[in-house]
Amino acid sequence: MADEAKAKGNVAFAAGRFEEAAQHFGDAIALAPDNHVLYSNRSAAYASLGRYSEALADAERTVALRPDWAKGYSRLGAAHLGLGDAPRAVEAYEKGLALEPSNEALKSGLAQARQQAASTPRRPGGSGADAFGKVFQGPELWSKIAADPTTRGYLNQPDFVQMLREVQRNPSSLNTYLSDQRMVQVLTLMLNIKLPHQNSGASEPAAAQSAPQTPKQQSEAKAREPEPEPEPEPMEVTEEEKERKERKATARKEKEAGNAAYKKKDFDTAIQHYTKAMELDDEDISYITNRAAVYLEMGKYDECIKDCDKAVERGRELHADFKMISRALTRKGTALAKLAKSSKDYDVAIETFQKALTEHRNPDTLKKLNDAERAKKELEQQEYYDPKIADEEREKGNEFFKQQKYPEAVKHYTEALRRNPKDPRVYSNRAACYTKLGALPEGLKDAEKCIELDPTFSKGYTRKGAIQFFMKEYDKALETYQAGLKHDPKNPELLDGVRRCVEQINKASRGELSEEELKERQSKAMQDPEIQNILTDPIMRQVLTDLQENPQAAQAHLKNPGVMQKIQKLVSAGIVQMK
């Protein structure tokens, strides 16, 4: 699933749809959170959008996961450069070049960073708007606004909530909204300061304020000064407020006791503690979601769903953190997915997980959504499964194939696979159709699936080898044919495939390829990750150097079977010619 999301991201990136690419890479990260390449790709997408702070975060994660990967430092340098931090960009590019001195992208980036560092002195810190805007990033923002009576009402005003979310996404946008008194008031609340009240009278001119006074004037002014008022006594906490705080403290202790009981799998005791906490404090929905978790573990799914609904409703009233609302919805979706195993209805669970993701997008919820969608698909396939109809559709496909009506044949083979997805013959037949239609990647995928389902089925190897041969990947086709011969040593199609592949490979070794054929083969080979790895391997680079400059040493290298196999791949690809 992660590879599929990554592939979609690559396609979107190549098409210049960077926002969509970032989304796909994010989905892939949720499924494979330790894959450094995914963070690198999303960093590039964010940088293309000008969202350099997010690009920097992903680049830093890339380097943390794979500190010996030069490309990660290229991403890091680009993000720093985008943020105007040229010295740090220089540092990042230099670290990358220490790992891979010949990397052109790193060299180019370093030159650009040094030029920018020389022309623009580094300014520590961000702008004033950025610095103030960052106070809106903390998780306590919404709870602080809701708790203050002077700002609580703003949360009922959609335009203000939209402003807050925009500042959270982009702190530098704060200046845009400071003309709104509501935003100023919330800013002072988050900074824990009070703005001085404006004097109703006009202020004196600066010259008058700063003019020196004579001793007589000072004496008269001192006589006019009123006696300082005594500091007001601190407000006494009411009994009601004291009782409220005590209840909250007791509720937290009940929650801790419930957590301890839950870890011991003493579910009945945990429920008692969480219920008591709910009775003591109805302003914290975590007590409700914790009790829902216990019901989920006990298999009491209906009770779990009721508690989750209650948590969402109460959370809306309290303007609780979106993450808490999302957690309640995710827990409800989990309970519904458990019930769907018997009810066969996954739609309501899928819908609930989707709602949870609109509140807060996190990997756990996304994985649960994917699992539910996969379970629904498998259920539909099971209900649709009918081997008898599958055989009928396969026969119809065969008839159309004989008539050279390949699109119609594909249609019937596809229906046969929907009815019975475990029949390797149908994948083999559809691969043959795709080959006739020139859809080689689709045909290769079907041939590989055929071999996966039945590794002894010779047709799978002949289909796959033929497609690789047509794609001019002769060394790979040779490997496929040889793998098939292990199961069927006398198969004439496989033997003929080996002969044809060897003939093509030998043409390259003897230098019998035309210049156009050589360029085409080299271009295709350079896109092959296996060829790229061989060419970047320090040992193989030394071997290739010895082949040109030190024949005696080269002969010693060629006695190594592993080295010889890699050399043969380069010869087949037209990269190396043996004379």
Side-chain angles (χ1 to χ4, degrees), residues 488-509:
D488 190 359
K490 297 182 179 179
N491 186 290
E493 288 185 78
L494 293 172
L495 290 169
D496 183 61
V498 169
R499 180 190 59 76
R500 288 185 293 110
C501 288
V502 170
E503 184 179 302
Q504 288 297 325
I505 291 170
N506 287 340
K507 280 180 69 176
S509 1

Side-chain angles (χ1 to χ4, degrees), residues 116-136:
Q116 186 169 321
S119 60
T120 308
R122 182 177 175 181
R123 294 178 296 174
S127 67
D130 284 343
F132 282 128
K134 287 177 181 175
V135 305
F136 291 84

Side-chain angles (χ1 to χ4, degrees), residues 410-484:
V410 167
K411 179 182 175 182
H412 287 287
Y413 288 141
T414 302
E415 179 62 21
L417 289 171
R418 290 184 64 203
R419 293 290 184 175
N420 181 10
K422 301 295 183 182
D423 189 343
R425 297 172 301 172
V426 185
Y427 281 106
S428 170
N429 293 358
R430 193 170 68 172
C433 277
Y434 281 138
T435 305
K436 293 291 186 180
L437 292 167
L440 300 183
E442 291 82 355
L444 182 62
K445 187 176 178 182
D446 270 4
E448 288 173 341
K449 185 65 177 177
C450 172
I451 295 171
E452 178 190 326
L453 290 172
D454 185 357
T456 65
F457 188 45
S458 301
K459 275 291 182 185
Y461 295 99
T462 59
R463 301 289 191 218
K464 182 179 177 181
I467 292 169
Q468 290 170 326
F469 190 90
F470 289 142
M471 295 171 76
K472 299 185 179 180
E473 296 176 348
Y474 303 117
D475 54 331
K476 292 183 179 180
L478 179 60
E479 289 176 6
T480 300
Y481 287 129
Q482 289 173 337

Side-chain angles (χ1 to χ4, degrees), residues 69-271:
W69 193 47
K71 194 170 187 178
Y73 295 95
S74 178
R75 301 291 190 220
L76 190 62
H80 279 310
L81 205 56
L83 291 168
D85 195 344
R88 287 192 179 178
V90 169
E91 183 181 338
Y93 286 126
E94 286 177 342
K95 285 182 179 178
L97 284 168
L99 294 169
E100 194 176 322
S102 61
N103 188 299
E104 292 300 326
L106 287 166
K107 288 180 182 178
S108 173
L110 179 60
Q112 186 180 354
R114 282 176 174 167
Q115 182 181 0
Q116 186 169 321
S119 60
T120 308
R122 182 177 175 181
R123 294 178 296 174
S127 67
D130 284 343
F132 282 128
K134 287 177 181 175
V135 305
F136 291 84
Q137 300 296 305
E140 72 282 355
L141 171 67
W142 301 96
S143 57
K144 265 195 173 185
I145 296 174
D148 192 290
T150 63
T151 58
R152 186 180 300 142
Y154 298 160
L155 295 176
N156 295 323
Q157 300 171 16
D159 65 321
F160 180 73
V161 172
Q162 183 62 33
M163 279 195 289
L164 278 183
R165 287 179 176 164
E166 176 59 28
V167 174
Q168 281 190 315
R169 283 194 298 269
N170 181 12
S172 62
S173 67
L174 178 62
N175 276 338
T176 310
Y177 302 114
L178 283 179
S179 58
D180 191 309
Q181 190 59 35
R182 296 172 298 176
M183 187 62 78
V184 175
Q185 193 166 352
V186 170
L187 177 60
T188 61
L189 171 68
M190 297 306 296
L191 294 172
N192 293 318
I193 60 174
K194 291 185 178 179
L195 290 176
H197 294 291
Q198 291 182 342
N199 195 336
S200 58
S203 59
E204 293 183 82
Q209 291 177 13
S210 60
Q213 293 180 324
T214 64
K216 183 178 179 181
Q217 287 173 327
Q218 290 175 355
S219 176
E220 290 175 355
K222 188 173 183 180
R224 290 196 301 271
E225 284 180 3
E227 290 294 320
E229 295 183 7
E231 290 291 325
E233 292 292 324
M235 287 182 60
E236 291 187 7
V237 179
T238 64
E239 289 298 322
E240 183 181 348
E241 184 63 21
K242 282 182 181 179
E243 185 182 345
R244 179 174 174 272
K245 288 183 178 180
E246 288 173 1
R247 284 200 311 272
K248 282 185 171 291
T250 307
R252 286 193 291 271
K253 290 180 180 178
E254 290 289 342
K255 177 184 177 181
E256 290 170 5
N259 292 346
Y262 178 81
K263 288 177 182 177
K264 295 176 182 177
K265 298 195 178 296
D266 185 357
F267 298 135
D268 291 328
T269 303
I271 285 175

